[in-house]
Amino acid sequence: MIDIEEIGLKAKNASVELQKLSTKKKNAALLAMATALEKNTARIIVENSLDMKDAGDNGVAPAMLDRLKLTEERIRAMADGLRNVAQLSDPIGEVIRGWVNEDELQVSQVRVPLGVIGMIFEARPNVTVDASGLTFKSGNAVILRGGKEAIRSNIVLADVLREALEENKLPVDAIQMIDDPSHEGVNQMMHLNQYIDVLIPRGGAKFIQMVVQNSTVPVIETGAGNCHVYVDELADLKKALPIIINAKTQRPSVCNAMEKLVVHSAVAKELLPQVKEALEPFNVDLRGDEAAKAILPDIKLATEEDWGTEYNDYIMAIKIVDSVDEAIAHINKYNTKHSEAIITEDYTASQKFTNEIDAAVVYVNASTRFTDGFKFGFGAEIGISTQKLHARGPMGLNELTSTKYVIRGNGQIRES
């Protein structure tokens, strides 16, 4: 059985070494890792194809297989992500604020690494690379534990990145992959407080809640995406239709894909037949409330369970409302606080929506698919936080730091 404590100790030791590295050395390592990925493309694809075959044989859904699949283009994109991270400003050592207090002490709040970050994620091998790049640049060691469906892919990606570190004489154990996909490894990680400073789970809602409820290591809650697009009564339907199609069908398996369409009753009769026709080439399974079914008789009647479900598939439920207030109430009741959108030409409605919707990211007249660290200019992301403490939304370099106060004096002592 794999010794998780030994992995934790190695990560803690590596994190100490990482804090000593200059920005120049960290960037050089990131560029070397990017080159190594591209040079080992064939090797990576071979291992990924074995994962894909096993997943297919085990009946994994096509949309989830898309998450798992690695191609030359996707490997190149991962390498480019590392290069983008190398170009970003190094947050470590940044003075956030400073002042002189009444005792003439110079007080500075400075960014520092979190230390050791644990990542538990499902069948998303790109997480291995994104997490490794962001944690390395921000001076953190990372312990990765991926899902069994991507075990070979994750191992080879981590090996390639570690080989690049070794060639550059840098701490190899800054990146470690747990190659045991059993639940015992997850259980040990969730209680490794003496080594892991923060745990970040990525996956389905049930998986994330299991980690949140059982971990003694502090957890940043991420990812589950029951996302909505609301089409207001004053929406431009020429904008609405392509946004709906993009948000639902571009990559339905990802957490920022739209799962529910909320439509104002004033535009429902005109819009919904257009939506149904546009989605037919994608074979989207449409469900709706009674008002939606009255307009589209062929669709299924949505159940209470539908409203709270993240499908990660070509399935979409439709809710018809009579006001922006009703839309907001429905969304806030069922959403996972990830990404929500309103389509409207009414500034007042858009302001009400952005002010009152409880979500990490709120859009006006744009697809939810843009909730992404790369699209936000972070180079990549380690996850999308749906909680409110420390970090919220796509997490880049700054979200992987803490702060400490540095106090400079000239012999002062406290007398009262």
Side-chain angles (χ1 to χ4, degrees), residues 17-39:
E17 295 304 311
L18 282 175
Q19 292 182 42
K20 303 174 185 177
L21 293 183
S22 67
T23 300
K24 183 177 180 180
K25 283 189 176 181
K26 288 192 284 188
N27 289 343
L30 289 165
L31 296 177
M33 286 190 275
T35 300
L37 284 175
E38 292 177 334
K39 285 184 177 179

mmCIF file with all atom_site columns, all heavy atoms in Angstrom, residues 17-39:
data_model
loop_
_atom_site.group_PDB
_atom_site.id
_atom_site.type_symbol
_atom_site.label_atom_id
_atom_site.label_alt_id
_atom_site.label_comp_id
_atom_site.label_asym_id
_atom_site.label_entity_id
_atom_site.label_seq_id
_atom_site.pdbx_PDB_ins_code
_atom_site.Cartn_x
_atom_site.Cartn_y
_atom_site.Cartn_z
_atom_site.occupancy
_atom_site.B_iso_or_equiv
_atom_site.pdbx_formal_charge
_atom_site.auth_seq_id
_atom_site.auth_comp_id
_atom_site.auth_asym_id
_atom_site.auth_atom_id
_atom_site.pdbx_PDB_model_num
ATOM 1   N N   . GLU A 1 17 ? 11.842 24.180 -0.059  1.00 0.00 ? 17 GLU A N   1
ATOM 2   C CA  . GLU A 1 17 ? 12.800 24.512 -1.118  1.00 0.00 ? 17 GLU A CA  1
ATOM 3   C C   . GLU A 1 17 ? 12.189 25.450 -2.153  1.00 0.00 ? 17 GLU A C   1
ATOM 4   O O   . GLU A 1 17 ? 12.849 26.348 -2.672  1.00 0.00 ? 17 GLU A O   1
ATOM 5   C CB  . GLU A 1 17 ? 13.306 23.230 -1.788  1.00 0.00 ? 17 GLU A CB  1
ATOM 6   C CG  . GLU A 1 17 ? 14.106 22.316 -0.877  1.00 0.00 ? 17 GLU A CG  1
ATOM 7   C CD  . GLU A 1 17 ? 15.300 23.034 -0.257  1.00 0.00 ? 17 GLU A CD  1
ATOM 8   O OE1 . GLU A 1 17 ? 16.052 23.693 -1.009  1.00 0.00 ? 17 GLU A OE1 1
ATOM 9   O OE2 . GLU A 1 17 ? 15.461 22.948 0.971   1.00 0.00 ? 17 GLU A OE2 1
ATOM 10  N N   . LEU A 1 18 ? 10.920 25.233 -2.455  1.00 0.00 ? 18 LEU A N   1
ATOM 11  C CA  . LEU A 1 18 ? 10.249 26.077 -3.450  1.00 0.00 ? 18 LEU A CA  1
ATOM 12  C C   . LEU A 1 18 ? 10.222 27.540 -3.025  1.00 0.00 ? 18 LEU A C   1
ATOM 13  O O   . LEU A 1 18 ? 10.337 28.448 -3.853  1.00 0.00 ? 18 LEU A O   1
ATOM 14  C CB  . LEU A 1 18 ? 8.814  25.585 -3.667  1.00 0.00 ? 18 LEU A CB  1
ATOM 15  C CG  . LEU A 1 18 ? 8.619  24.348 -4.541  1.00 0.00 ? 18 LEU A CG  1
ATOM 16  C CD1 . LEU A 1 18 ? 7.156  23.941 -4.540  1.00 0.00 ? 18 LEU A CD1 1
ATOM 17  C CD2 . LEU A 1 18 ? 9.085  24.607 -5.956  1.00 0.00 ? 18 LEU A CD2 1
ATOM 18  N N   . GLN A 1 19 ? 10.055 27.786 -1.744  1.00 0.00 ? 19 GLN A N   1
ATOM 19  C CA  . GLN A 1 19 ? 9.976  29.157 -1.250  1.00 0.00 ? 19 GLN A CA  1
ATOM 20  C C   . GLN A 1 19 ? 11.280 29.924 -1.462  1.00 0.00 ? 19 GLN A C   1
ATOM 21  O O   . GLN A 1 19 ? 11.292 31.147 -1.446  1.00 0.00 ? 19 GLN A O   1
ATOM 22  C CB  . GLN A 1 19 ? 9.600  29.157 0.236   1.00 0.00 ? 19 GLN A CB  1
ATOM 23  C CG  . GLN A 1 19 ? 8.182  28.678 0.495   1.00 0.00 ? 19 GLN A CG  1
ATOM 24  C CD  . GLN A 1 19 ? 7.816  28.727 1.963   1.00 0.00 ? 19 GLN A CD  1
ATOM 25  O OE1 . GLN A 1 19 ? 8.142  29.671 2.665   1.00 0.00 ? 19 GLN A OE1 1
ATOM 26  N NE2 . GLN A 1 19 ? 7.130  27.698 2.439   1.00 0.00 ? 19 GLN A NE2 1
ATOM 27  N N   . LYS A 1 20 ? 12.363 29.187 -1.689  1.00 0.00 ? 20 LYS A N   1
ATOM 28  C CA  . LYS A 1 20 ? 13.660 29.824 -1.885  1.00 0.00 ? 20 LYS A CA  1
ATOM 29  C C   . LYS A 1 20 ? 13.941 30.144 -3.355  1.00 0.00 ? 20 LYS A C   1
ATOM 30  O O   . LYS A 1 20 ? 14.900 30.851 -3.665  1.00 0.00 ? 20 LYS A O   1
ATOM 31  C CB  . LYS A 1 20 ? 14.778 28.909 -1.363  1.00 0.00 ? 20 LYS A CB  1
ATOM 32  C CG  . LYS A 1 20 ? 14.638 28.524 0.103   1.00 0.00 ? 20 LYS A CG  1
ATOM 33  C CD  . LYS A 1 20 ? 15.695 27.506 0.490   1.00 0.00 ? 20 LYS A CD  1
ATOM 34  C CE  . LYS A 1 20 ? 15.501 27.005 1.917   1.00 0.00 ? 20 LYS A CE  1
ATOM 35  N NZ  . LYS A 1 20 ? 16.509 25.960 2.258   1.00 0.00 ? 20 LYS A NZ  1
ATOM 36  N N   . LEU A 1 21 ? 13.117 29.608 -4.267  1.00 0.00 ? 21 LEU A N   1
ATOM 37  C CA  . LEU A 1 21 ? 13.388 29.763 -5.690  1.00 0.00 ? 21 LEU A CA  1
ATOM 38  C C   . LEU A 1 21 ? 13.057 31.168 -6.177  1.00 0.00 ? 21 LEU A C   1
ATOM 39  O O   . LEU A 1 21 ? 12.051 31.759 -5.787  1.00 0.00 ? 21 LEU A O   1
ATOM 40  C CB  . LEU A 1 21 ? 12.575 28.753 -6.506  1.00 0.00 ? 21 LEU A CB  1
ATOM 41  C CG  . LEU A 1 21 ? 12.921 27.272 -6.347  1.00 0.00 ? 21 LEU A CG  1
ATOM 42  C CD1 . LEU A 1 21 ? 12.055 26.437 -7.277  1.00 0.00 ? 21 LEU A CD1 1
ATOM 43  C CD2 . LEU A 1 21 ? 14.393 27.011 -6.632  1.00 0.00 ? 21 LEU A CD2 1
ATOM 44  N N   . SER A 1 22 ? 13.887 31.668 -7.072  1.00 0.00 ? 22 SER A N   1
ATOM 45  C CA  . SER A 1 22 ? 13.616 32.959 -7.708  1.00 0.00 ? 22 SER A CA  1
ATOM 46  C C   . SER A 1 22 ? 12.532 32.798 -8.762  1.00 0.00 ? 22 SER A C   1
ATOM 47  O O   . SER A 1 22 ? 12.262 31.689 -9.242  1.00 0.00 ? 22 SER A O   1
ATOM 48  C CB  . SER A 1 22 ? 14.883 33.496 -8.365  1.00 0.00 ? 22 SER A CB  1
ATOM 49  O OG  . SER A 1 22 ? 15.256 32.667 -9.456  1.00 0.00 ? 22 SER A OG  1
ATOM 50  N N   . THR A 1 23 ? 11.917 33.890 -9.115  1.00 0.00 ? 23 THR A N   1
ATOM 51  C CA  . THR A 1 23 ? 10.915 33.876 -10.187 1.00 0.00 ? 23 THR A CA  1
ATOM 52  C C   . THR A 1 23 ? 11.531 33.363 -11.477 1.00 0.00 ? 23 THR A C   1
ATOM 53  O O   . THR A 1 23 ? 10.901 32.598 -12.222 1.00 0.00 ? 23 THR A O   1
ATOM 54  C CB  . THR A 1 23 ? 10.350 35.287 -10.398 1.00 0.00 ? 23 THR A CB  1
ATOM 55  O OG1 . THR A 1 23 ? 9.748  35.726 -9.186  1.00 0.00 ? 23 THR A OG1 1
ATOM 56  C CG2 . THR A 1 23 ? 9.308  35.296 -11.511 1.00 0.00 ? 23 THR A CG2 1
ATOM 57  N N   . LYS A 1 24 ? 12.766 33.765 -11.750 1.00 0.00 ? 24 LYS A N   1
ATOM 58  C CA  . LYS A 1 24 ? 13.453 33.345 -12.978 1.00 0.00 ? 24 LYS A CA  1
ATOM 59  C C   . LYS A 1 24 ? 13.569 31.820 -13.044 1.00 0.00 ? 24 LYS A C   1
ATOM 60  O O   . LYS A 1 24 ? 13.300 31.215 -14.080 1.00 0.00 ? 24 LYS A O   1
ATOM 61  C CB  . LYS A 1 24 ? 14.833 33.985 -13.055 1.00 0.00 ? 24 LYS A CB  1
ATOM 62  C CG  . LYS A 1 24 ? 15.594 33.676 -14.329 1.00 0.00 ? 24 LYS A CG  1
ATOM 63  C CD  . LYS A 1 24 ? 16.929 34.411 -14.366 1.00 0.00 ? 24 LYS A CD  1
ATOM 64  C CE  . LYS A 1 24 ? 17.697 34.090 -15.665 1.00 0.00 ? 24 LYS A CE  1
ATOM 65  N NZ  . LYS A 1 24 ? 18.998 34.812 -15.710 1.00 0.00 ? 24 LYS A NZ  1
ATOM 66  N N   . LYS A 1 25 ? 13.934 31.196 -11.929 1.00 0.00 ? 25 LYS A N   1
ATOM 67  C CA  . LYS A 1 25 ? 14.076 29.732 -11.918 1.00 0.00 ? 25 LYS A CA  1
ATOM 68  C C   . LYS A 1 25 ? 12.725 29.044 -12.056 1.00 0.00 ? 25 LYS A C   1
ATOM 69  O O   . LYS A 1 25 ? 12.604 28.012 -12.736 1.00 0.00 ? 25 LYS A O   1
ATOM 70  C CB  . LYS A 1 25 ? 14.768 29.289 -10.628 1.00 0.00 ? 25 LYS A CB  1
ATOM 71  C CG  . LYS A 1 25 ? 16.270 29.528 -10.631 1.00 0.00 ? 25 LYS A CG  1
ATOM 72  C CD  . LYS A 1 25 ? 16.932 28.883 -9.421  1.00 0.00 ? 25 LYS A CD  1
ATOM 73  C CE  . LYS A 1 25 ? 18.440 29.042 -9.487  1.00 0.00 ? 25 LYS A CE  1
ATOM 74  N NZ  . LYS A 1 25 ? 19.112 28.405 -8.322  1.00 0.00 ? 25 LYS A NZ  1
ATOM 75  N N   . LYS A 1 26 ? 11.702 29.604 -11.413 1.00 0.00 ? 26 LYS A N   1
ATOM 76  C CA  . LYS A 1 26 ? 10.371 28.998 -11.518 1.00 0.00 ? 26 LYS A CA  1
ATOM 77  C C   . LYS A 1 26 ? 9.858  29.081 -12.954 1.00 0.00 ? 26 LYS A C   1
ATOM 78  O O   . LYS A 1 26 ? 9.300  28.104 -13.479 1.00 0.00 ? 26 LYS A O   1
ATOM 79  C CB  . LYS A 1 26 ? 9.403  29.682 -10.554 1.00 0.00 ? 26 LYS A CB  1
ATOM 80  C CG  . LYS A 1 26 ? 9.660  29.344 -9.089  1.00 0.00 ? 26 LYS A CG  1
ATOM 81  C CD  . LYS A 1 26 ? 8.523  29.791 -8.182  1.00 0.00 ? 26 LYS A CD  1
ATOM 82  C CE  . LYS A 1 26 ? 8.534  31.259 -7.927  1.00 0.00 ? 26 LYS A CE  1
ATOM 83  N NZ  . LYS A 1 26 ? 7.550  31.664 -6.888  1.00 0.00 ? 26 LYS A NZ  1
ATOM 84  N N   . ASN A 1 27 ? 10.066 30.219 -13.586 1.00 0.00 ? 27 ASN A N   1
ATOM 85  C CA  . ASN A 1 27 ? 9.599  30.371 -14.974 1.00 0.00 ? 27 ASN A CA  1
ATOM 86  C C   . ASN A 1 27 ? 10.351 29.444 -15.923 1.00 0.00 ? 27 ASN A C   1
ATOM 87  O O   . ASN A 1 27 ? 9.758  28.867 -16.844 1.00 0.00 ? 27 ASN A O   1
ATOM 88  C CB  . ASN A 1 27 ? 9.753  31.822 -15.416 1.00 0.00 ? 27 ASN A CB  1
ATOM 89  C CG  . ASN A 1 27 ? 8.763  32.747 -14.741 1.00 0.00 ? 27 ASN A CG  1
ATOM 90  O OD1 . ASN A 1 27 ? 7.770  32.286 -14.193 1.00 0.00 ? 27 ASN A OD1 1
ATOM 91  N ND2 . ASN A 1 27 ? 9.029  34.032 -14.781 1.00 0.00 ? 27 ASN A ND2 1
ATOM 92  N N   . ALA A 1 28 ? 11.652 29.307 -15.706 1.00 0.00 ? 28 ALA A N   1
ATOM 93  C CA  . ALA A 1 28 ? 12.445 28.407 -16.552 1.00 0.00 ? 28 ALA A CA  1
ATOM 94  C C   . ALA A 1 28 ? 11.944 26.970 -16.416 1.00 0.00 ? 28 ALA A C   1
ATOM 95  O O   . ALA A 1 28 ? 11.871 26.216 -17.404 1.00 0.00 ? 28 ALA A O   1
ATOM 96  C CB  . ALA A 1 28 ? 13.926 28.497 -16.178 1.00 0.00 ? 28 ALA A CB  1
ATOM 97  N N   . ALA A 1 29 ? 11.577 26.588 -15.177 1.00 0.00 ? 29 ALA A N   1
ATOM 98  C CA  . ALA A 1 29 ? 11.062 25.236 -14.958 1.00 0.00 ? 29 ALA A CA  1
ATOM 99  C C   . ALA A 1 29 ? 9.725  25.032 -15.658 1.00 0.00 ? 29 ALA A C   1
ATOM 100 O O   . ALA A 1 29 ? 9.475  23.976 -16.264 1.00 0.00 ? 29 ALA A O   1
ATOM 101 C CB  . ALA A 1 29 ? 10.917 24.981 -13.459 1.00 0.00 ? 29 ALA A CB  1
ATOM 102 N N   . LEU A 1 30 ? 8.872  26.028 -15.614 1.00 0.00 ? 30 LEU A N   1
ATOM 103 C CA  . LEU A 1 30 ? 7.574  25.929 -16.286 1.00 0.00 ? 30 LEU A CA  1
ATOM 104 C C   . LEU A 1 30 ? 7.739  25.778 -17.790 1.00 0.00 ? 30 LEU A C   1
ATOM 105 O O   . LEU A 1 30 ? 7.040  24.980 -18.433 1.00 0.00 ? 30 LEU A O   1
ATOM 106 C CB  . LEU A 1 30 ? 6.724  27.161 -15.967 1.00 0.00 ? 30 LEU A CB  1
ATOM 107 C CG  . LEU A 1 30 ? 6.185  27.247 -14.533 1.00 0.00 ? 30 LEU A CG  1
ATOM 108 C CD1 . LEU A 1 30 ? 5.688  28.648 -14.230 1.00 0.00 ? 30 LEU A CD1 1
ATOM 109 C CD2 . LEU A 1 30 ? 5.084  26.224 -14.310 1.00 0.00 ? 30 LEU A CD2 1
ATOM 110 N N   . LEU A 1 31 ? 8.657  26.518 -18.361 1.00 0.00 ? 31 LEU A N   1
ATOM 111 C CA  . LEU A 1 31 ? 8.912  26.405 -19.804 1.00 0.00 ? 31 LEU A CA  1
ATOM 112 C C   . LEU A 1 31 ? 9.482  25.030 -20.139 1.00 0.00 ? 31 LEU A C   1
ATOM 113 O O   . LEU A 1 31 ? 9.139  24.443 -21.174 1.00 0.00 ? 31 LEU A O   1
ATOM 114 C CB  . LEU A 1 31 ? 9.868  27.509 -20.254 1.00 0.00 ? 31 LEU A CB  1
ATOM 115 C CG  . LEU A 1 31 ? 9.342  28.947 -20.114 1.00 0.00 ? 31 LEU A CG  1
ATOM 116 C CD1 . LEU A 1 31 ? 10.408 29.952 -20.517 1.00 0.00 ? 31 LEU A CD1 1
ATOM 117 C CD2 . LEU A 1 31 ? 8.075  29.140 -20.943 1.00 0.00 ? 31 LEU A CD2 1
ATOM 118 N N   . ALA A 1 32 ? 10.332 24.514 -19.259 1.00 0.00 ? 32 ALA A N   1
ATOM 119 C CA  . ALA A 1 32 ? 10.889 23.174 -19.483 1.00 0.00 ? 32 ALA A CA  1
ATOM 120 C C   . ALA A 1 32 ? 9.800  22.113 -19.400 1.00 0.00 ? 32 ALA A C   1
ATOM 121 O O   . ALA A 1 32 ? 9.781  21.145 -20.185 1.00 0.00 ? 32 ALA A O   1
ATOM 122 C CB  . ALA A 1 32 ? 11.986 22.892 -18.455 1.00 0.00 ? 32 ALA A CB  1
ATOM 123 N N   . MET A 1 33 ? 8.855  22.273 -18.471 1.00 0.00 ? 33 MET A N   1
ATOM 124 C CA  . MET A 1 33 ? 7.753  21.330 -18.362 1.00 0.00 ? 33 MET A CA  1
ATOM 125 C C   . MET A 1 33 ? 6.872  21.374 -19.602 1.00 0.00 ? 33 MET A C   1
ATOM 126 O O   . MET A 1 33 ? 6.398  20.332 -20.085 1.00 0.00 ? 33 MET A O   1
ATOM 127 C CB  . MET A 1 33 ? 6.934  21.624 -17.101 1.00 0.00 ? 33 MET A CB  1
ATOM 128 C CG  . MET A 1 33 ? 7.621  21.216 -15.812 1.00 0.00 ? 33 MET A CG  1
ATOM 129 S SD  . MET A 1 33 ? 6.521  21.294 -14.356 1.00 0.00 ? 33 MET A SD  1
ATOM 130 C CE  . MET A 1 33 ? 6.685  23.015 -13.907 1.00 0.00 ? 33 MET A CE  1
ATOM 131 N N   . ALA A 1 34 ? 6.653  22.567 -20.130 1.00 0.00 ? 34 ALA A N   1
ATOM 132 C CA  . ALA A 1 34 ? 5.836  22.704 -21.341 1.00 0.00 ? 34 ALA A CA  1
ATOM 133 C C   . ALA A 1 34 ? 6.493  21.989 -22.518 1.00 0.00 ? 34 ALA A C   1
ATOM 134 O O   . ALA A 1 34 ? 5.834  21.253 -23.267 1.00 0.00 ? 34 ALA A O   1
ATOM 135 C CB  . ALA A 1 34 ? 5.646  24.180 -21.673 1.00 0.00 ? 34 ALA A CB  1
ATOM 136 N N   . THR A 1 35 ? 7.789  22.188 -22.679 1.00 0.00 ? 35 THR A N   1
ATOM 137 C CA  . THR A 1 35 ? 8.519  21.525 -23.765 1.00 0.00 ? 35 THR A CA  1
ATOM 138 C C   . THR A 1 35 ? 8.490  20.018 -23.594 1.00 0.00 ? 35 THR A C   1
ATOM 139 O O   . THR A 1 35 ? 8.318  19.265 -24.560 1.00 0.00 ? 35 THR A O   1
ATOM 140 C CB  . THR A 1 35 ? 9.971  22.030 -23.800 1.00 0.00 ? 35 THR A CB  1
ATOM 141 O OG1 . THR A 1 35 ? 9.970  23.440 -24.030 1.00 0.00 ? 35 THR A OG1 1
ATOM 142 C CG2 . THR A 1 35 ? 10.767 21.336 -24.898 1.00 0.00 ? 35 THR A CG2 1
ATOM 143 N N   . ALA A 1 36 ? 8.634  19.556 -22.343 1.00 0.00 ? 36 ALA A N   1
ATOM 144 C CA  . ALA A 1 36 ? 8.626  18.116 -22.076 1.00 0.00 ? 36 ALA A CA  1
ATOM 145 C C   . ALA A 1 36 ? 7.289  17.487 -22.444 1.00 0.00 ? 36 ALA A C   1
ATOM 146 O O   . ALA A 1 36 ? 7.242  16.368 -22.977 1.00 0.00 ? 36 ALA A O   1
ATOM 147 C CB  . ALA A 1 36 ? 8.944  17.865 -20.606 1.00 0.00 ? 36 ALA A CB  1
ATOM 148 N N   . LEU A 1 37 ? 6.195  18.186 -22.175 1.00 0.00 ? 37 LEU A N   1
ATOM 149 C CA  . LEU A 1 37 ? 4.883  17.662 -22.559 1.00 0.00 ? 37 LEU A CA  1
ATOM 150 C C   . LEU A 1 37 ? 4.799  17.442 -24.060 1.00 0.00 ? 37 LEU A C   1
ATOM 151 O O   . LEU A 1 37 ? 4.342  16.393 -24.537 1.00 0.00 ? 37 LEU A O   1
ATOM 152 C CB  . LEU A 1 37 ? 3.781  18.623 -22.115 1.00 0.00 ? 37 LEU A CB  1
ATOM 153 C CG  . LEU A 1 37 ? 3.401  18.657 -20.639 1.00 0.00 ? 37 LEU A CG  1
ATOM 154 C CD1 . LEU A 1 37 ? 2.373  19.756 -20.390 1.00 0.00 ? 37 LEU A CD1 1
ATOM 155 C CD2 . LEU A 1 37 ? 2.845  17.312 -20.189 1.00 0.00 ? 37 LEU A CD2 1
ATOM 156 N N   . GLU A 1 38 ? 5.232  18.437 -24.826 1.00 0.00 ? 38 GLU A N   1
ATOM 157 C CA  . GLU A 1 38 ? 5.146  18.338 -26.284 1.00 0.00 ? 38 GLU A CA  1
ATOM 158 C C   . GLU A 1 38 ? 6.069  17.247 -26.810 1.00 0.00 ? 38 GLU A C   1
ATOM 159 O O   . GLU A 1 38 ? 5.698  16.507 -27.739 1.00 0.00 ? 38 GLU A O   1
ATOM 160 C CB  . GLU A 1 38 ? 5.465  19.688 -26.909 1.00 0.00 ? 38 GLU A CB  1
ATOM 161 C CG  . GLU A 1 38 ? 4.377  20.728 -26.613 1.00 0.00 ? 38 GLU A CG  1
ATOM 162 C CD  . GLU A 1 38 ? 4.704  22.100 -27.163 1.00 0.00 ? 38 GLU A CD  1
ATOM 163 O OE1 . GLU A 1 38 ? 5.900  22.415 -27.332 1.00 0.00 ? 38 GLU A OE1 1
ATOM 164 O OE2 . GLU A 1 38 ? 3.756  22.862 -27.412 1.00 0.00 ? 38 GLU A OE2 1
ATOM 165 N N   . LYS A 1 39 ? 7.256  17.123 -26.243 1.00 0.00 ? 39 LYS A N   1
ATOM 166 C CA  . LYS A 1 39 ? 8.188  16.084 -26.698 1.00 0.00 ? 39 LYS A CA  1
ATOM 167 C C   . LYS A 1 39 ? 7.679  14.680 -26.387 1.00 0.00 ? 39 LYS A C   1
ATOM 168 O O   . LYS A 1 39 ? 8.026  13.718 -27.077 1.00 0.00 ? 39 LYS A O   1
ATOM 169 C CB  . LYS A 1 39 ? 9.552  16.293 -26.036 1.00 0.00 ? 39 LYS A CB  1
ATOM 170 C CG  . LYS A 1 39 ? 10.356 17.449 -26.605 1.00 0.00 ? 39 LYS A CG  1
ATOM 171 C CD  . LYS A 1 39 ? 11.726 17.526 -25.964 1.00 0.00 ? 39 LYS A CD  1
ATOM 172 C CE  . LYS A 1 39 ? 12.568 18.638 -26.585 1.00 0.00 ? 39 LYS A CE  1
ATOM 173 N NZ  . LYS A 1 39 ? 13.904 18.740 -25.956 1.00 0.00 ? 39 LYS A NZ  1
#
